[in-house]
Amino acid sequence: MSYSILLIEDNNDMRENIAEILELANYEVFTAVNGKEGVQKAKEIIPDLIISDIMMPVMDGYEVLYYLGKDKKTKKIPFIFLTAKSEPSDFRKGMNLGADDYLVKPFQEMDLLNVVETRIKKSELMRQDFTNGKDGLMKFIDSTKGIHELKLHAKTGKPKLYKKKETLFYENEPAHFIYFLEHGKVRKFKKNKDGKEFTTGLIKPGEFIGYMPLIKDCPHPDSAVAMEDTNAYRIHKDDFNQMLYKSPEITHAMIKILSRNLIEKEEELLNLAYNSVRKRMADSLLSLYNKYQREEENEFSIAIQREELASLVGTSPESAIRALSAFKEEDLIHVKGSRITIMDVHGLGNVLQ
């Protein structure tokens, strides 16, 4: 099967060289000389992958990604940035807008081909249209070799309902289960000696939670509470540990999850250490958007208590409210009671610059 790639690059030599490499690898390549032309072509041909430079005339790469992300036909297309910059802030901005990967110029031919192949394979897996429910979990497991034990156990289990604000597990509590979230939203947090909460993670449907203490054989390092009515399947630690020992594929998958979590935590710590409350608030709102935005929704809104949001930002409720008020005045968000609606994703991304 031949995959199509749209290459958006204003430098003629660079564009021709990349196109030639991709064509030799049997990809069908379309090209655009600037961002505006790239957006038009992407909507016309709906390619399997888009590769775009960042610094371009007429419309830069960030704008290309933003406008394509607003169109239902193009928002799911894997997007790779080409950049001569390697600053973390540049990567962060692109990832917040939905970029899948980066290639820093100059790069080797195999680096390009490996990134392209990886992103297309991942996209193909996602296009199998797995749902977030139990049937979706079964279908996903069926697509992954060596996880038959997990499949059989999940089929015999029943989901547990957690009401809004109900706790799944407490910090320092012995760990007995790994949880698979079928429906709802979950927030993980830690408390200091004064009882102040600090959010350590947000969990969405289709994600696992509570596996770290099972792997480390230790109590839960944080608490988990349902942000709304939530369904979760539970797998007992004895069954989970047997699966890890029996299946190298499950072990490999957990290593990948843990590695990703370490990278995310490192970014969060840097964000807390060096960014202002304004930037941390923008970053937190974008994290909520990226985590919980549904495909069928034209706009994103979430009901979240100010204390919960302050915990996510790492500041006081008063400072969080002031930052929200400023964003409201700038028409970046709309606030009604506890519900926050994001009106300008691109504008929030600009706050992080």
Side-chain angles (χ1 to χ4, degrees), residues 26-182:
N26 294 322
Y27 293 107
E28 183 180 12
V29 182
F30 300 88
T31 60
V33 299
N34 59 55
K36 184 177 181 180
E37 181 181 336
V39 170
Q40 293 172 344
K41 284 195 174 184
K43 293 182 177 182
E44 291 171 3
I45 64 178
I46 312 295
D48 295 302
L49 178 75
I50 296 173
I51 303 174
S52 175
D53 190 17
I54 292 181
M55 303 303 294
M56 296 183 293
V58 185
M59 183 186 293
D60 66 25
Y62 296 128
E63 292 174 294
V64 171
L65 180 56
Y66 172 76
Y67 285 116
L68 293 180
K70 302 295 271 186
D71 191 321
K72 290 182 179 180
K73 293 182 179 179
T74 56
K75 66 183 297 183
K76 290 185 178 181
I77 301 174
F79 198 104
I80 300 174
F81 269 133
L82 300 176
T83 177
K85 298 182 178 181
S86 58
E87 291 296 323
S89 59
D90 295 312
F91 296 163
R92 183 86 175 165
K93 180 178 179 180
M95 293 303 181
N96 282 332
L97 288 172
D100 295 281
D101 217 327
Y102 271 84
L103 275 172
V104 179
K105 303 174 185 177
F107 49 83
Q108 299 296 317
E109 178 177 331
M110 286 309 302
D111 291 337
L112 169 67
L113 295 176
N114 286 335
V115 168
V116 167
E117 183 179 2
T118 297
R119 289 302 157 188
I120 287 180
K121 283 184 177 179
K122 184 176 180 180
S123 177
E124 281 294 301
L125 183 63
M126 297 305 292
R127 285 178 185 177
Q128 293 181 36
D129 195 27
F130 299 138
T131 61
N132 288 325
K134 188 174 181 179
D135 290 341
L137 173 61
M138 293 305 100
K139 192 174 179 182
F140 173 76
I141 291 171
D142 284 337
S143 72
T144 309
K145 295 180 179 179
I147 316 183
H148 300 297
E149 297 90 350
L150 183 59
K151 169 185 174 181
L152 292 173
H153 184 86
K155 279 185 175 180
T156 60
K158 293 183 179 180
K160 180 176 174 60
L161 172 64
Y162 296 89
K163 293 291 187 179
K164 182 178 180 180
K165 295 187 178 180
E166 186 177 352
T167 301
L168 282 73
F169 52 79
Y170 291 92
E171 183 177 352
N172 296 321
E173 179 183 62
H176 298 294
F177 299 97
I178 179 174
Y179 301 76
F180 174 77
L181 199 65
E182 179 193 33

Side-chain angles (χ1 to χ4, degrees), residues 191-197:
K191 282 188 177 182
N192 63 13
K193 61 181 180 180
D194 299 320
K196 183 178 180 181
E197 294 181 1

Side-chain angles (χ1 to χ4, degrees), residues 207-225:
E207 292 185 338
F208 288 96
I209 182 175
Y211 47 81
M212 179 68 84
L214 297 188
I215 293 174
K216 295 178 65 178
D217 192 22
C218 67
H220 286 290
D222 43 23
S223 301
V225 63

Side-chain angles (χ1 to χ4, degrees), residues 238-267:
D238 292 340
D239 296 332
F240 178 68
N241 286 332
Q242 285 184 6
M243 295 173 200
L244 285 179
Y245 294 138
K246 290 181 179 179
S247 174
E249 286 81 8
I250 293 178
T251 304
H252 181 66
M254 297 310 300
I255 291 173
K256 290 175 68 175
I257 292 174
L258 293 172
S259 299
R260 183 185 66 218
N261 287 346
L262 286 173
I263 294 172
E264 291 175 351
K265 293 304 176 187
E266 182 181 9
E267 291 178 346

